Amino acid sequence: MRNFSIVALFFSFIFSVSGQTFVVKDQQNQQTVPFAKIFPEGQSPLLADINGNFSFNSLPSKATIKLNGYYDTTIVIQTISNYTIYLRPVVKELEEIKILPGKNPALRIIDLTVKNRKKNHPFENDNFVSKQYSKFVFDIDETTLKMLQDSSIYRGDDTTLIKAKQFLDRQHLFLIENASCHYFEPPFRQKEIIEAYKISGFSDPAFSTFAREMQSFHFYDNQVEVLGKQYVNPISFGSSNRYLFLLEDSLIQNGDTTFTIFYRPKKGKNFEGLTGRLYINSNGYAIEKVKAEPYLRDSTGIHIQVVQEYKRHAEKWFPQQLHTTIFMQNATLKMGNANAYVVGKGITRIENVQFNVPEVKKQRFNNVEVQTSHGSENVSEKEWEKLRPDSLTVREKNTYTVLDSVVKTSNLGKYVYALKVLTTGKVPLGYINLNLKQLLNFNGYEGYRLGLGLETSEKFIKRWINGGYIAYGFRDKDIKYGGFSEFILGKTGVTRVRGYYEKDVSEMGAVSIWQRTNAFSSDDLRYFFANNFGIGERYGLKFNSVLRANMPISIQAQRQNLNFKNGYSHVPNLDSLTNFEIFSTKFIWTWNIREKANILGNQLIPMGTRFPKIQVELEKGWKIQNLGNLDFWRVHLSLRQQININGFGRLNWQVQGGISSENSPLFCGFFVPATFDKWSIYVPESFQTIAASQFYHQQYGASFISWHFNPIKMKKQWSRPQIGMHYAFGIGKWNNKESQGFAFQSMDKGYHEVGFSLNGLVVMNNAAIGIGVFNRIGYYAESDWKKNILPKLTIGFKL
């Protein structure tokens, strides 16, 4: 009986271990290591998964674990403690990779992967619905955490380290979770509905998409997004000309072969590239696993690594897990003799994937790609336990408990709210906001303009904003002022009705600038050079809304009374008109083609588009007694697009044009955007060699094209030269200029200019400064060639 008990105990141990999950970790930093190759004695080899986990079908006595960057490790199974296997990293200088003569076997596999890319692309061929769970944890770097466990570093009088250890033993720095349902229907319609989100200390839904924004959902598009930046995909078309591929290993499992291929940009290739390993499965030549990180580190001190694992569902490969690690080495804290920094680790799990289901066809798709459902911030803990694949650890639970209390007692939420308001160009001051755009401005007419603008915040009355401003121009020596009252309608705040009164300047021949969501834009730079204005009173009503998330509209009715101090007069039918009473209605329609938006809580956030943007403006002036003395109409159309070309650079183009009625005053015609002056900076989408009020038209067309190559990689971080080219063309007419009482030209013969720039010669933090040379050519060029050439500074900002 005793021997039987021993045998039973032995087999009990065998069966428990053979079904047990083992985990592979890095011996130095204690982190799990994905995709290690395991060679069990007498059995077929296998791969660890994205979490470093694996299990044996039957227990071998020994196994060898191999992985690039680590020493081969042979283990005796019965001696393994806590089912954890540690690999020792190889610490050595990277040797130069030498390519030997002959055909590279990795290229055949890459070519087949590219050829099958459309078939394996998750967003091709079939509709699907899936459940997703994401968790992102922020902590101190592993080296510091390990150091804090060493008791020899503590001294009796040093309580800082002791408190740090107690804090980090108890909790993480920050924790975010969300659970969502993802719907997709070919060719490009998709929607992710966030059913629950939880943020330690906060409830702002803006954090709910954090994990989603860190990396692309899959690795099949021409460009892969990592930390909001686009990188050339190593399996995009033509990647074999840009990337070096090396076949490192192959593994046969269940009749299919997994090829391990190392990749990095080739020497001398100038593009935003990645490095890492692709694990390609011979069954369909699909991505089974992938590891990637930017090949070059920038000066921000932030580095990111992404790992993805795919699973075969119903004969189709599909993402199963996405891992993200962010090393924030710019966020440092002194701890003893070490400089600790923040590390963020995220995981997204995709489960319950179903293809070609009727549920998807019933889903109402629109341009909203991500949306928080009602009550998603208040999901009970009982419901969360159903949504989480694994229960929270004690440290994770403590993170929620402690930070919720800290934020509540310290009013930290107010600072987060203040940062959000600041992105709109306003400074929150309790019940009022200070408008930064009113503080200091400059243009060619007013010179420096000093002002003060205040408005009520949502803390005063949430959906009713009242505000006003006062300003003074030091060149025209006039005081300007105005006020408004605005009502916000609807849940997302995109529908607004505003009534206003202003006594201020109005630019001659101006059209509305492009609709935008950020506080500052390159369109504002052109205003520095504008110098032809009238001044007077204006008041009216404005209605802003969206037809769809990517289709804003604006309807306006306005009366204004304008005078011009430069002696301008309009002489229709020989009657001089110097005082302009204008009553007009205006309709502006913008279409950002295929732009997606997120609705997070009560806020609609446009996400941008790589497709063209169109804006149409229709304006009608009405001759009505005591309201307006001008009868006119005008139409303006503008199209623009930015195209990023893999490995080469960026193309920007804009085409615009307009037509106005005959006998219109100059004010109701069109200027051309122009930025020539004695001191000059390059302004995109404008004529660089034309003075601001040199050309006006009743009918005109203009085009602006610029090309910027990728920055040249330099050893010095303070310089990243970037070659740019510029071309602009304009043509237009004004039939009877003599009726305007103001000297100007029109581009009857067609105006051309070209330019060359060297941007980023000096880089300081987020600002880049360079130089450019622009040349007037064609009919309007001067006979002296030196007068046609204009140097300019180029200034760029990375926000």
Side-chain angles (χ1 to χ4, degrees), residues 270 682 707-712 714 719-726 755-763 768-774 791-796:
N270 184 33
Y682 170 71
W707 171 265
H708 291 89
F709 289 95
N710 286 336
I712 300 170
M714 305 288 287
S719 183
R720 295 196 72 191
Q722 181 185 38
I723 297 173
M725 293 182 290
H726 164 90
F756 172 86
S757 61
L758 199 55
N759 313 310
L761 292 177
V762 178
V763 177
I769 301 173
I771 57 172
V773 178
F774 301 88
K792 285 193 170 188
L793 286 176
T794 65
I795 301 176

Side-chain angles (χ1 to χ4, degrees), residues 634-647:
R634 64 177 187 164
V635 180
H636 192 263
L637 171 67
S638 182
L639 299 88
R640 62 168 56 171
Q641 185 183 14
Q642 176 175 303
I643 303 172
N644 296 314
I645 301 177
N646 285 353

Side-chain angles (χ1 to χ4, degrees), residues 25-84:
K25 289 188 175 183
D26 185 303
Q27 187 182 68
Q28 183 172 318
N29 60 27
Q30 306 295 305
Q31 295 301 294
T32 57
V33 178
F35 313 147
K37 192 172 182 180
I38 294 91
F39 295 85
E41 188 176 61
Q43 300 179 21
S44 299
L46 61 147
L47 278 177
D49 66 13
I50 194 171
N51 299 302
N53 296 325
F54 70 92
S55 58
F56 299 109
N57 291 326
S58 59
L59 187 70
S61 58
K62 294 181 181 180
T64 300
I65 295 86
K66 296 183 178 181
L67 185 64
N68 279 84
Y70 294 88
Y71 289 104
D72 294 351
T73 302
T74 300
I75 56 169
V76 177
I77 299 300
Q78 293 185 17
T79 63
I80 298 301
S81 175
N82 297 323
Y83 308 106
T84 303

Side-chain angles (χ1 to χ4, degrees), residues 581 583 620-632:
E581 294 181 355
F583 176 70
K620 178 69 174 76
W622 306 88
K623 193 170 184 178
I624 301 174
Q625 188 174 5
N626 298 325
L627 279 178
N629 58 10
L630 288 176
D631 185 359
F632 71 91

Side-chain angles (χ1 to χ4, degrees), residues 375 496 618 720 772 782:
R496 299 176 178 233
L618 310 174
R720 295 196 72 191
E782 299 282 350

Side-chain angles (χ1 to χ4, degrees), residues 434-695:
L434 172 69
N435 191 338
L436 291 175
K437 291 193 70 175
Q438 291 288 351
L439 286 179
L440 182 64
N441 286 284
F442 180 89
N443 61 66
Y445 178 79
E446 296 177 280
Y448 288 101
R449 171 175 166 142
L450 187 65
L452 176 67
L454 300 172
E455 63 181 48
T456 59
S457 71
E458 65 176 21
K459 293 183 178 181
F460 183 69
I461 300 178
K462 192 166 187 177
R463 296 190 173 272
W464 183 24
I465 303 173
N466 296 279
Y469 70 92
I470 186 169
Y472 178 78
F474 286 88
R475 182 174 295 174
D476 68 338
K477 303 187 186 310
D478 265 332
I479 296 175
K480 296 88 179 176
Y481 53 86
F484 71 91
S485 185
E486 182 174 79
F487 294 91
I488 303 173
L489 309 175
K491 293 182 178 180
T492 58
V494 295
T495 302
R496 299 176 178 233
V497 178
R498 171 182 286 217
Y500 60 90
Y501 169 86
E502 297 171 348
K503 184 185 177 184
D504 211 331
V505 294
S506 296
E507 188 175 6
M508 186 85 76
V511 294
S512 300
I513 63 173
W514 277 81
Q515 176 266 348
R516 63 181 190 263
T517 55
N518 58 313
F520 301 98
S521 165
S522 61
D523 291 320
D524 298 321
L525 291 175
R526 186 206 62 82
Y527 202 68
F528 292 168
F529 302 89
N531 56 21
N532 196 2
F533 289 81
I535 185 168
E537 296 179 313
R538 56 176 178 256
Y539 55 87
L541 286 172
K542 184 185 294 185
F543 172 82
N544 290 334
S545 190
V546 295
L547 298 179
R548 300 183 67 188
N550 65 335
M551 202 175 289
I553 61 168
S554 178
I555 301 172
Q556 304 174 29
Q558 176 179 264
R559 185 187 185 276
Q560 50 187 331
N561 187 341
L562 284 174
N563 291 281
F564 294 88
K565 293 185 177 181
N566 59 2
Y568 169 72
S569 64
H570 179 46
V571 194
N573 302 321
L574 303 180
D575 293 326
S576 178
L577 185 65
T578 58
N579 179 266
F580 297 89
E581 294 181 355
I582 303 171
F583 176 70
S584 63
T585 53
K586 186 183 293 186
F587 174 75
I588 303 172
W589 172 76
T590 305
W591 181 23
N592 302 322
I593 299 175
R594 289 180 65 175
E595 180 180 54
K596 302 294 184 181
N598 294 345
I599 296 181
L600 306 179
N602 295 327
Q603 187 176 9
L604 186 143
I605 305 172
M607 303 306 293
T609 179
R610 56 189 177 91
F611 294 92
K613 301 177 180 180
I614 303 171
Q615 183 164 292
V616 178
E617 180 177 339
L618 310 174
E619 185 174 13
K620 178 69 174 76
W622 306 88
K623 193 170 184 178
I624 301 174
Q625 188 174 5
N626 298 325
L627 279 178
N629 58 10
L630 288 176
D631 185 359
F632 71 91
W633 57 264
R634 64 177 187 164
V635 180
H636 192 263
L637 171 67
S638 182
L639 299 88
R640 62 168 56 171
Q641 185 183 14
Q642 176 175 303
I643 303 172
N644 296 314
I645 301 177
N646 285 353
F648 292 99
R650 181 183 77 251
L651 173 69
N652 289 81
W653 64 265
Q654 177 167 324
V655 176
Q656 62 187 56
I659 181 171
S660 62
S661 55
E662 293 289 336
N663 294 322
S664 296
L666 201 65
F667 182 81
C668 304
F670 303 99
F671 67 67
V672 292
T675 56
F676 169 79
D677 209 322
K678 293 179 181 178
W679 62 273
S680 278
I681 58 173
Y682 170 71
V683 178
E685 296 157 354
S686 71
F687 288 96
Q688 311 300 318
T689 59
I690 296 177
S693 56
Q694 186 175 349
F695 289 91

